[in-house]
C-alpha cells in the first residue's frame, strides 16, 4: 500500500500488462493524479487511464524534471517501470535522488524470475547481471565451467556480443537462450550455442541465459593468481607470486578502495577488483603508454569500474577519494611518495610497498623507522636448464614493506 507521505508510487509492470498487475498496483495507478511511463508501457494500460498519462524518453534527468512538474500540478504520481523496479530499474535509480518517505515501490515479476521459471533454473544458483549501463566485458570475471548466467540485455545486439565473448574465452560450446518479451503476448525463446550463434531479429526487450560449457579450449583464467602472460605489459608488472603475497597483506573488507601507485600494467588492481564485486581501485600511472596497457587489461579481465588516473604521484593524491589500502609498486624512492601515500591512507587502512633496488630498499628501511610496520625480503629460485642438466636460478629479491595506519604490523 502507498505510504501516507509518499507522493510517488513506482509500479513494476511486465509484458503481461494490466492483467498482470496486483490489486494494490491497479489501485495505485487508478488513484494517481498523473501516470508517467514509456510509450511501450503506456500502451499496456486501459484507454481510460492513458488519458491521464504522459511518456518520458528514458533520460533520468528529464524524468526528474517531469516528476517535479507533475507533482506540483497533479499531487500524486504513478511511475511505471519494468518488472521489479529495484533490480537495475527506475526504483534503484531514483532512490539516490529521493528520500524514502517520498516514494513507495510495488514490484512486478522481474525478468530474471520469468527467465528462471521458463528454463527451470533455481534462481539462487544463478548469477544475474545487467548490461543496461555496463559493458559486456563485465562478464569475463563470471565465466566458469558449468556456471549459469541470466543477463539483462541493453538491446538486441547484446546476445551476439555475449556469444562472441564466450567464444573468445574458449567456451564456444556453451548453450545460449535468447528470451524476448517474457510473460507477454509476444514471448519468444530461442536456443543455440555460442559458436553457432545465428539468431536474428532480436527484440530490444530481451534476456540472455547462458549455461557455460564444462569444456574450455583455451587457457582457463583463474579467479586469483593470474598468470603474467595473460596480461598486456611491457615488462613492468608485479609478478604473479609477488602479487599474491601483496594482496594477502593488503587484505581488506569487501568494498574497500585501493590506490595502486605506479601501477605499471595494472595487474594488482585487476586482481584486487576480481577478489570481490564491490571492491574499488584507482590505478595511478605517470606514463600514458602504460595507462593504455591498463585499459586493455581492464577490458580483458572484466573489471570496467577500475579507474585509471594518468599523472605523477604524489601531486595528484589530493584530488582522489581516501583509500582503505595503498600499494606502491613503483617509485618508492621518489621524493615524498611514501610519506604522502601514508598520510592519504584512511585510519585503520593498510599499505604495502615493493622495492627491488638498493635505493628503494634504503627508503623502505628509513620509512619503517618512522611509521612502524614490517619488512620482508622475498627471494625465489626457479628450476632452469644447466647445460645438459637442471639447476636452481635465483631471481631478483624483492623487499616488501607492510603496515596498518594505526601502527599494527601486517
Amino acid at each position: 500500500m502507498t505510504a501516507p507521505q509518499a507522493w510517488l508510487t513506482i509500479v513494476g509492470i511486465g509484458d503481461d500488462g494490466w492483467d498482470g498487475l496486483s490489486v494494490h498496483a491497479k489501485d495505485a495507478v487508478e488513484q494517481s493524479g498523473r501516470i508517467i511511463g514509456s510509450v511501450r508501457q503506456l500502451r499496456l494500460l486501459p484507454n481510460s487511464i492513458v488519458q491521464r498519462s504522459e511518456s518520458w524518453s528514458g533520460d533520468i534527468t528529464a524524468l526528474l524534471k517531469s516528476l517535479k512538474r507533475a507533482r506540483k500540478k497533479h499531487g500524486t504520481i504513478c511511475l511505471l517501470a519494468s518488472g521489479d523496479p529495484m533490480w537495475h530499474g527506475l526504483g534503484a535509480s531514483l532512490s539516490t535522488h529521493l528520500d524514502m518517505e517520498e516514494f513507495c515501490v510495488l514490484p512486478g515479476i522481474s525478468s530474471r524470475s520469468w527467465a528462471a521459471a521458463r528454463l527451470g533454473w533455481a534462481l539462487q544458483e544463478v548469477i544475474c547481471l545487467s548490461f543496461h549501463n555496463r559493458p559486456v566485458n563485465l562478464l569475463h570475471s563470471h565465466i566458469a565451467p558449468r556456471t549459469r548466467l541470466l543477463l539483462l540485455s541493453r538491446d538486441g545486439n547484446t546476445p551476439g556480443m555475449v556469444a562472441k565473448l564466450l567464444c573468445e574465452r574458449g567456451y564456444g560450446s556453451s548453450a545460449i537462450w535468447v528470451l524476448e518479451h517474457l510473460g507477454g503476448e509476444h514471448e519468444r525463446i530461442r536456443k543455440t550455442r555460442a559458436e553457432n550463434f545465428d539468431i536474428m531479429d532480436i527484440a530490444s526487450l530481451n534476456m540472455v541465459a547462458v549455461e557455460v560449457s564444462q569444456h574450455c579450449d583455451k587457457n582457463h583464467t583463474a579467479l586469483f593468481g593470474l598468470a603474467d602472460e595473460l596480461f598486456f605489459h611491457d615488462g613492468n608488472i608485479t609478478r604473479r607470486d609477488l602479487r599474491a603475497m601483496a594482496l594477502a597483506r593488503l587484505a581488506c573488507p569487501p568494498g574497500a578502495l585501493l590506490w595502486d601507485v605506479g601501477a605499471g600494467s595494472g595487474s594488482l588492481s585487476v586482481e584486487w577488483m576480481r577478489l570481490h564485486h564491490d571492491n574499488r581501485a584507482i590505478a595511478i600511472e605517470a606514463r600514458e603508454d602504460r595507462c593504455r596497457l591498463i585499459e586493455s587489461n581492464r577490458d580483458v579481465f572484466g573489471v570496467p569500474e577500475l579507474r585509471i588516473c594518468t599523472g605523477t604521484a604524489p601531486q595528484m593524491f589530493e584530488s582522489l577519494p581516501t583509500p582503505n589500502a595503498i600499494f606502491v609498486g613503483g617509485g618508492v624512492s621518489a621524493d615524498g611518495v611514501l610519506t604522502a601515500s601514508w598520510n592519504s591512507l584512511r585510519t585503520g587502512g593498510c599499505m604495502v610497498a615493493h622495492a627491488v633496488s638498493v635505493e628503494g630498499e634504503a627508503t623502505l628501511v628509513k620509512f619503517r623507522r618512522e611509521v612502524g610496520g614490517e619488512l620482508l625480503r622475498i627471494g625465489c629460485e626457479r628450476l632452469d636448464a644447466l647445460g645438459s642438466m637442471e639447476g636452481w636460478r635465483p631471481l631478483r629479491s624483492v623487499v616488501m614493506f607492510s603496515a596498518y595506519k594505526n601502527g599494527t604490523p601486517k
Side-chain angles (χ1 to χ4, degrees), residues 114-351:
W114 277 117
R118 291 293 187 261
L119 298 173
W121 289 1
L123 200 50
Q124 72 272 12
E125 298 173 0
V126 177
I127 296 175
C128 300
L129 303 172
S130 172
F131 296 139
H132 264 193
N133 297 302
R134 307 180 78 183
V136 173
N137 284 338
L138 177 70
L139 186 59
H140 276 291
S141 58
H142 297 278
I143 297 176
R146 299 180 300 280
T147 300
R148 285 177 169 175
L149 306 161
L150 287 177
L151 314 172
L152 186 60
S153 295
R154 176 190 291 268
D155 52 36
N157 296 318
T158 303
M161 296 169 66
V162 169
K164 183 174 182 290
L165 188 147
L166 286 165
C167 291
E168 291 173 348
R169 283 289 305 277
Y171 290 99
S173 58
S174 299
I176 290 184
W177 292 261
V178 178
L179 307 97
E180 304 161 271
H181 292 290
L182 286 166
E185 179 183 353
H186 303 291
E187 178 179 302
R188 180 169 59 173
I189 300 175
R190 291 177 283 178
K191 180 183 178 183
T192 185
R193 295 197 177 276
E195 59 196 2
N196 301 323
F197 191 87
D198 58 356
I199 297 177
M200 306 295 289
D201 188 29
I202 300 173
S204 294
L205 187 63
N206 76 84
M207 285 201 78
V208 183
V210 177
E211 191 166 54
V212 182
S213 169
Q214 183 174 351
H215 172 71
C216 178
D217 57 20
K218 294 186 179 180
N219 289 334
H220 178 62
T221 303
L223 177 64
F224 178 75
L226 300 172
D228 298 339
E229 57 267 23
L230 296 176
F231 288 92
F232 293 97
H233 67 90
D234 59 0
N236 189 274
I237 181 174
T238 302
R239 300 288 173 177
R240 185 182 201 172
D241 299 314
L242 295 171
R243 194 187 322 133
M245 296 183 73
L247 287 167
R249 296 289 175 129
L250 284 166
C252 278
L257 171 63
L258 168 77
W259 283 6
D260 186 0
V261 181
S265 66
S267 62
L268 190 127
S269 297
V270 166
E271 291 256 33
W272 173 271
M273 294 284 286
R274 285 166 58 91
L275 288 175
H276 193 276
H277 57 82
D278 286 333
N279 280 3
R280 298 167 295 144
I282 301 175
I284 303 166
E285 174 55 52
R287 287 177 47 170
E288 292 187 1
D289 58 333
R290 287 178 176 166
C291 286
R292 288 192 291 271
L293 293 174
I294 299 172
E295 289 177 2
S296 298
N297 290 322
R298 178 179 64 184
D299 293 341
V300 166
F301 292 108
V303 287
E305 294 174 348
L306 169 59
R307 180 179 170 186
I308 303 170
C309 290
T310 306
T312 305
Q315 287 80 357
M316 65 184 310
F317 285 178
E318 291 185 3
S319 63
L320 302 178
T322 304
N324 307 94
I326 296 178
F327 175 68
V328 184
V332 295
S333 58
D335 188 34
V337 168
L338 289 179
T339 299
S341 297
W342 184 258
N343 291 339
S344 301
L345 186 63
R346 188 182 301 276
T347 301
C350 54
M351 177 171 155

Side-chain angles (χ1 to χ4, degrees), residues 16-22 26 44:
D16 50 354
W18 182 255
D19 291 339
L21 295 181
S22 67
K26 289 180 178 178
L44 301 172

Side-chain angles (χ1 to χ4, degrees), residues 80-97:
L80 301 180
S82 296
D84 184 352
M86 300 308 292
W87 188 63
H88 299 288
L90 277 179
S93 298
L94 290 175
S95 65
T96 62
H97 298 277

